[in-house]
Amino acid sequence: MSGATAAFPTAPLSRRRFLGIAAAAAGVALMPGLLRAAPLPAGIPVRVWRGTALGADAMLQIAHPDPAEADRLIALSLAEVARLEKVFSLYRPDSALVRLNRDGMLDRPPADLVRLLSEAVAFGRRSGGAFDVTVQPLWQLYAGHFGRPGADPAGPPEAAVQATRRLVDYRAVEVDAGRIAFARRGMAVTLNGIAQGYITDRVTERLIAEGLGQVLVDLGEIRAVGRHPAGRPWTVGLKDPSDETRLTATLEIADRAVATSAGSGTSFDPAGRFAHLLDPASGHSAADWLSVSVLAADATTADALSTALSIVPADRAAAILNGLPGVGARLTRRDGTVLSLPA
């Protein structure tokens, strides 16, 4: 379970990457059996939907006096998720992203792919390359290595890691409204570190455009619109990455977004030594932090920055956040101690 609910003051928030997006199609339809009204002592009732979106548990909470209209808005939200899944999926053979990675270029790309890749390149610059959507060849190298029987537990040969790392460079992605292209043969993009936030924002914007002012959207990242109808902020909890039955902290948010990255979310090897958070500069798994949570005005920013900060040491993390007003981070070291930024 993840996110927050109207019925419970605090519920776990977990980090779920975009890796399982192909499984979303079966679960993205509106499931009336999972809808329920959550009446509150004061304020508008909250309609709660729980189901599967983007291949993972998801939740929508919509404050609306008309349950039928709330259900329509939930269906509208899930249709938006399905539309964007057709653009960003790494596994659907007809997705725009798969075609880009296959051919190394894409003419007349969907506007959402242009927008998201443009934002991704900007976050690459902002983070000094810590956030880099072109790490997909490294991901494929590690996944392929550990997917073979009898794989060396020490990981891929260092020569292979360094040869693959030369394909990783966000600056070598040309993004234009009419064309997206890679400057080097063999490059590929993954949107695992930003797409869930982007989709969360697009769904939130659709609901705001429908006139809603009190919403909590949890599609792997969380974004709150307004305050809970009971008059308090929306409340979410942060899971302990080493023990998912525990919460390490709770956050109260209104008109804010939260994203969490943790290497424990996906490991390539059974021992958990090689995780999906890969450092573009070294080609190896990031090692400094157990988990990183970022609070920002929108989920795209929170998502991208939680990924970037997971890769870098404390001094670089502070430098990345410098000059970003209203953005805060909670970085948990492997010994369990916590660094809060800004300090």
Side-chain angles (χ1 to χ4, degrees), residues 46 50 78 85 95 154 182 258 274 291 294 329-330:
V46 174
R50 291 186 182 89
L78 297 179
E85 190 263 346
S95 80
F182 301 145
V258 181
F274 297 88
S291 68
V294 171
R330 174 187 171 92

Side-chain angles (χ1 to χ4, degrees), residues 28-82:
V28 85
L30 182 64
M31 291 172 274
L34 297 179
L35 288 168
R36 63 184 178 84
L40 299 162
I44 302 170
V46 174
R47 196 70 164 166
V48 179
W49 173 87
R50 291 186 182 89
T52 301
L54 307 178
D57 293 340
M59 180 187 297
L60 298 172
Q61 297 187 65
I62 293 177
H64 201 287
D66 182 351
E69 177 63 8
D71 291 354
R72 183 189 73 82
L73 294 170
I74 289 169
L76 180 73
S77 300
L78 297 179
E80 180 71 352
V81 173

Side-chain angles (χ1 to χ4, degrees), residues 131-157:
F131 181 83
D132 194 323
V133 293
T134 66
V135 295
Q136 179 66 4
L138 281 171
W139 195 97
Q140 292 170 322
L141 174 68
Y142 281 94
H145 173 84
F146 285 108
R148 291 190 290 271
D152 184 348

Side-chain angles (χ1 to χ4, degrees), residues 15 17 19 130-131 135 138-139 142 192-193 260-268 273-280 282-292 303-304 306-311 334:
R15 177 67 173 129
R17 288 290 175 188
L19 302 175
F131 181 83
V135 295
L138 281 171
W139 195 97
Y142 281 94
N192 291 359
T260 298
S261 293
S264 58
T266 302
S267 294
F268 295 109
R273 294 174 55 205
F274 297 88
H276 71 282
L277 290 170
L278 297 166
D279 182 355
S282 69
H284 300 144
S285 296
D288 284 345
W289 309 106
L290 192 62
S291 68
V292 174
D303 196 2
S306 71
T307 303
L309 299 189
S310 296
I311 304 300
R334 297 197 173 274

Side-chain angles (χ1 to χ4, degrees), residues 82-159:
R83 182 186 72 82
L84 291 169
E85 190 263 346
K86 293 178 182 178
V87 177
F88 300 138
S89 171
L90 272 173
Y91 303 103
R92 291 176 59 115
D94 60 340
S95 80
L97 183 59
V98 165
R99 289 184 284 124
L100 171 63
N101 285 344
R102 181 191 65 211
D103 300 333
M105 55 82 65
L106 185 65
D107 288 325
R108 298 182 297 280
D112 284 289
L113 185 59
V114 173
R115 178 178 177 182
L116 183 51
L117 279 178
S118 296
E119 294 191 32
V121 170
F123 281 115
R125 288 194 298 267
R126 175 75 206 183
S127 65
F131 181 83
D132 194 323
V133 293
T134 66
V135 295
Q136 179 66 4
L138 281 171
W139 195 97
Q140 292 170 322
L141 174 68
Y142 281 94
H145 173 84
F146 285 108
R148 291 190 290 271
D152 184 348
E158 184 64 15

